[in-house]
Amino acid sequence: MTAPRTTGKLFGRLSLPERTYVADALRAETVGGVLLLVAAIAALAWANIPGLRDGYESVSHFHLGPGAIGLNLSVAHWAADGLLAIFFFVAGIELKRELVAGDLKDPRAAALPVAAALCGMAAPALVYTLTSSAGGGSLAGWAVPTATDIAFALAVLAVIGTSLPSALRAFLLTLAVVDDLFAILIIAVFFTESLDFAALGGAVAGLAVFWLLLRTGVRGWYVYVPLGLVIWALMYNSGVHATIAGVAMGLMLRCHRHEGEEHSPGERIEHLVRPLSAGLAVPLFALFSAGVSLSGEAMADVFTKPETLGVLLGLVVGKTVGVFGGTWLTARFTRASLSDDLSWPDVFAVATLAGIGFTVSLLIGELAFEGEATMTEEVKAAVLTGSLVAAVLATVLLKIRNAKYRALYEAEERDDDHSGVPDVYEEDDPAYHLRMAAIHEEKAAEHRRIAREKERARLAEVSGGAGEEGGRPA
């Protein structure tokens, strides 16, 4: 027998707690995305303006850190392996929260973002493989176009001023969380060449201590920050990419609330660390990773070399087709229908945003072509170009429907009874209707008062203006 098919609405209204969480998270991501854009533009200017280019190279390749424990790294290396661990720590907390309290907790609700994310990673990898193989290029970069940068995508939305409904924004956020999970697995499985089992064992032991301290209720940043740094250093020296340490620690935090708790420990720590991640770690990584040559020859190579063309088409075509296709397949095989307020072109427009790959794509590009400086720079240029094309395409498509999105957004935000809760969440609450009845009665009383005053003024004008003969004016 076949399993019963579920029914429901795709991109339906979020619950109020989930909507509040998504709004807060996306607000922080949007600010971080704008800083990311600024950092990327600054990097491109620094690396391409004559007279400044040498300074960019000098700073990027300046080494610092204790060499005795294998941590004498360049500034660019510290940004990629060190600062991005903070980014992946936040990603780990987001993933844990989604698994225990968010959309991924319910298998039926999780089906949509998981299917969209999986298809949105498989399709770009396939596009890259076919394109690079056809041109006789390397297959090493197959994973580069598989990642979506949610901060960059939301920054584009902030710049173009599109008020996407909260359900579509939540879909983007959850899609990116699942996307990050599989990107982490790709980094861990495919970009670990050799292992130092002693260092790896030390990192695992450190994580066990981290977990035990959390479970016994030990509190204090002065305990966890030094321990986290030790775990990170051991993970780095083990041969496994150091950002995996950040993810592992993020996943260990408790993200469900106990009775009487307003926020779980994971939510509190995420609230504290996210500004550091979005406002410092990721922009600095962009500053020292996005500084690629934009000469005419370099840009021509993006469209002519099989590897770079594969990255470009993977982001622009593969991501869009994969995310849209995964969403359509979910609707097709679960009998879920699209929300009445949206149409499939809306889903396609949002899917184009997933083609904006930046942070993780740049990181994977460095790992995939490690030791090949020229190819690494060209792949980075392809990531930037593909992200720009996807952003422009998304802007055009979303602008076409912007008036509709704005109307949906305003309806979601409407709070006529001034209760602090949007009206759409109070439609079944009798107290809401009593408050609205009182408001309408107050308005009606005001209108009646105005009508009486106007009527008295009209009668006074008629009686005061009567003439002496036949009622004619004097």
Side-chain angles (χ1 to χ4, degrees), residues 92-100 250-255:
I93 299 175
E94 288 179 338
L95 177 60
K96 179 69 174 289
R97 187 203 166 276
E98 289 294 328
L99 288 170
V100 301
L251 286 171
M252 289 181 180
L253 291 173
R254 177 169 61 82
C255 291

Side-chain angles (χ1 to χ4, degrees), residues 152-210:
F152 221 136
L154 291 171
V156 170
L157 288 178
V159 170
I160 66 176
T162 298
S163 301
L164 276 182
S166 58
L168 285 176
R169 289 178 178 261
F171 170 70
L172 266 178
L173 179 62
T174 310
L175 171 73
V177 170
V178 179
D179 194 293
D180 284 344
L181 168 63
F182 289 106
I184 291 160
L185 293 176
I186 287 172
I187 291 171
V189 173
F190 294 99
F191 296 104
T192 300
E193 296 181 357
S194 60
L195 290 175
D196 181 328
F197 288 100
L200 183 59
V204 172
L207 288 170
V209 172
F210 188 89

Side-chain angles (χ1 to χ4, degrees), residues 147-150 152-153 156 315 319 352-358 386-387 390-391 394:
T148 294
D149 195 308
I150 185 63
F152 221 136
V156 170
L315 287 171
K319 267 292 184 181
T352 60
L353 279 171
I356 300 175
F358 192 80
S387 297

Side-chain angles (χ1 to χ4, degrees), residues 144 307-308 311 365 369 374-384:
V144 175
E307 296 90 348
T308 52
V311 170
F369 296 99
T374 301
M375 180 57 71
T376 299
E377 293 297 296
E378 290 172 345
V379 166
K380 286 182 178 181
V383 169
L384 294 173

